[in-house]
């Protein structure tokens, strides 16, 4: 049912988002390193929900080289060229955190950390969620400091996207 929750949200970089309801025998495949994604909470107790995820990782060297943003990557003739490049490049992972700042934060908060999930550093104890929030804020601040005009333009384009397409059939 539509109100049971568990909807998969896919946010392709600077493209219209999709909300896909869970359905019997539905299989959704996507490149998780190129599509920001999250699952809304399962809200019914009528029946359990099961999901299976598979991750296929490349070699460490290739992954690190693919996501190392360098000055050479930032030579674009226009913002359109930059948006097209990041939409299909593993490097979009680097800038998407700042472009989709609110979505990343909401996803972290929806992960369901319990009260017992804590991290201690230098004698100060804080929740695992607070540690991740702080790391996220630091990453976004760093990107904005280095790439403010680009990040501002990409965020402007994201804000102009139509509402998510609903797939509930």
């Amino acid at each position: 049912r539509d109100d049971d929750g568990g909807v998969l949200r896919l946010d392709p970089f600077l493209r219209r988002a999709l909300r896909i309801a869970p359905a019997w025998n539905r299989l959704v495949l996507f490149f998780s390193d190129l599509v920001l994604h999250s699952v809304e909470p399962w809200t019914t107790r009528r029946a359990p929900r099961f999901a299976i995820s598979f991750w296929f990782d490349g070699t460490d060297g290739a992954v690190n080289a693919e996501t190392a943003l360098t000055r050479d990557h930032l030579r674009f003739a226009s913002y359109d060229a930059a948006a097209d490049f990041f939409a299909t490049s593993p490097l979009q992972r680097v800038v998407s955190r700042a472009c989709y700042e609110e979505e990343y934060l909401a996803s972290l908060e929806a992960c369901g950390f319990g009260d017992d999930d804590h991290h201690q550093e230098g004698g100060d104890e804080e929740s695992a969620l607070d540690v991740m929030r702080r790391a996220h804020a630091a990453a976004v601040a760093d990107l904005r400091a280095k790439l403010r005009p680009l990040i501002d333009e990409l965020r402007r384009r994201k804000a102009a996207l139509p509402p998510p397409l609903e797939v509930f059939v």
Side-chain angles (χ1 to χ4, degrees):
R1 293 182 2 188
D2 291 355
D3 60 348
D4 285 344
V7 172
L8 173 65
R9 180 176 172 122
L10 302 176
D11 284 280
F13 193 75
L14 298 181
R15 304 289 189 265
R16 186 176 189 182
L18 294 165
R19 289 184 69 241
I20 304 169
W24 181 254
N25 283 335
R26 175 170 286 158
L27 174 67
V28 179
L29 301 172
F30 59 95
F31 290 101
S32 62
D33 61 334
L34 294 176
V35 179
L36 180 63
H37 56 283
S38 61
V39 178
E40 296 173 9
W42 186 246
T43 57
T44 185
R45 295 186 190 269
R46 280 187 304 106
R49 175 184 176 266
F50 299 98
I52 299 172
S53 296
F54 293 96
W55 291 55
F56 300 97
D57 291 330
T59 64
D60 286 344
V63 171
N64 290 336
E66 288 176 354
T67 58
L69 187 60
T70 66
R71 188 176 311 152
D72 291 337
H73 292 116
L74 297 174
R75 295 181 186 184
F76 301 107
S78 67
Y79 282 126
D80 288 338
D84 290 344
F85 169 78
F86 284 114
T88 59
S89 168
L91 286 169
Q92 68 92 0
R93 290 168 36 194
V94 178
V95 297
S96 67
R97 210 175 244 228
C99 294
Y100 288 84
E101 180 178 3
E102 299 81 8
E103 290 84 350
Y104 267 92
L105 188 56
S107 179
L108 286 176
E109 292 174 351
C111 284
F113 295 97
D115 291 334
D116 295 333
D117 295 327
H118 285 81
H119 173 78
Q120 188 160 356
E121 186 174 308
D124 295 328
E125 186 175 308
E126 61 183 325
S127 74
L129 178 57
D130 286 339
V131 170
M132 285 191 257
R133 282 181 183 139
R134 193 167 30 83
H136 173 67
V140 170
D142 185 53
L143 280 168
R144 282 199 177 135
K146 294 175 181 173
L147 303 173
R148 181 167 301 279
L150 175 64
I151 297 300
D152 288 349
E153 175 61 20
L154 297 176
R155 284 182 60 86
R156 185 195 65 75
R157 289 172 182 235
K158 181 184 129 291
L161 293 172
L165 179 62
E166 307 272 339
V167 181
F168 282 83
V169 178

